[in-house]
Amino acid sequence: MAGRSYGRYCPVARTLELVGERWTLLLVRELLLGPMRFTDLHTALEGIPRNLLADRLRDLEGHRLVTRRELPPPAARTVYELTERGRALMPAIGELARWGLTHLETPAQDEPVSSSMAVLAGLVAHARPIAAGEERYDLDVDGRHFTLRLDGGGIRFGEPAAAGDLAVSVSASTLLRLRLGAETLDGAVAAGRLRFRPDDPALAGRFAERFALSQEDRS
């Protein structure tokens, strides 16, 4: 990435110089939802060569978009995470995910789909702001766990101080099918493809309203 420039004063050109290389935005996509180890990033970005992943991480570190952190024992491992500057890309990537979803076919129930992409395109890009307080959702998407927090400042991901208000278990493909209107929350719950804990209709309804998901089949 270093040395590649469009040679003009343009914010779009500068953005592309920083994050426009192949795989870079997908790497940022993964890290938006929390810190990850190199091996986990390599697994999530199926198809990227290890040396290219290392190069992309090095570039992002050089531009102060990503930093490394050592976790204390017993974890004792190095993770990569976005800086505040890197996390500022969330609205842009959310909008790209929202736009791109309109150019994709509805996924089949068993179709492999990126869990992070499903969360960004299925939930984050459609979140409705809250005026006060905080809401926390513990998401299990195809076995990958995310903690999503909403407050007056927008959306954040990270470790909760306590259990979330609602735990949601769903596959990535089901989440996108919900977003695209191929399924409803009621239908997905009845089929066992979507589970809420606690089983509280009021909390499930708030989740649906917060992320603009249809609850019932009104056809």
Side-chain angles (χ1 to χ4, degrees):
M1 198 181 300
R4 298 188 182 184
S5 172
Y6 287 92
R8 64 191 64 216
Y9 188 93
C10 171
V12 175
R14 183 55 178 158
T15 299
L16 292 174
E17 289 166 5
L18 293 174
V19 296
E21 292 283 352
R22 180 172 168 80
W23 293 103
T24 299
L25 279 181
L26 297 185
L27 172 54
V28 173
R29 178 198 71 189
E30 296 300 319
L31 292 177
L32 278 172
L33 278 63
M36 295 180 71
R37 297 180 301 171
F38 183 93
T39 53
D40 294 329
L41 280 167
H42 187 252
T43 299
L45 296 172
E46 184 178 355
I48 187 172
R50 294 178 68 89
N51 62 330
L52 182 57
L53 175 57
D55 288 344
R56 293 292 182 263
L57 285 168
R58 192 178 304 112
D59 288 338
L60 290 170
E61 285 187 90
H63 291 301
R64 294 182 289 117
L65 298 173
V66 165
T67 187
R68 274 179 283 185
R69 177 164 58 94
E70 297 293 330
L71 297 181
R77 60 185 183 184
T78 301
V79 294
Y80 292 88
E81 61 185 348
L82 293 176
T83 62
E84 183 176 353
R85 188 175 178 181
R87 288 191 295 272
L89 286 164
M90 183 180 288
I93 292 183
E95 285 303 312
L96 285 172
R98 181 208 291 257
W99 185 84
L101 193 58
T102 66
H103 296 271
L104 289 171
E105 299 294 329
T106 301
Q109 280 293 350
D110 58 351
E111 186 166 348
V113 176
S114 162
S115 54
S116 56
M117 183 277 292
V119 171
L120 289 168
L123 298 179
V124 171
H126 301 267
R128 294 170 174 170
I130 61 176
E134 179 182 86
E135 296 176 11
R136 292 175 299 180
Y137 299 98
D138 296 332
L139 308 177
D140 179 342
V141 184
D142 287 333
R144 187 172 173 190
H145 297 272
F146 309 98
T147 297
L148 190 158
R149 295 181 176 187
L150 293 92
D151 56 27
I155 295 178
R156 292 174 293 137
F157 287 90
E159 294 298 323
D165 303 315
L166 184 68
V168 183
S169 298
V170 64
S171 70
S173 58
T174 296
L175 183 53
L176 291 183
R177 288 172 62 83
L178 289 167
R179 169 54 54 206
L180 292 168
E183 287 198 63
T184 63
L185 262 72
D186 288 352
V189 168
R193 291 189 287 270
L194 173 65
R195 295 184 298 278
F196 294 113
R197 296 192 316 276
D199 184 9
D200 184 329
L203 287 175
R206 189 184 72 177
F207 175 81
E209 180 180 358
R210 187 65 62 218
F211 297 103
L213 294 168
S214 175
Q215 289 183 265
E216 300 176 356
D217 184 354
R218 306 184 188 282
S219 59

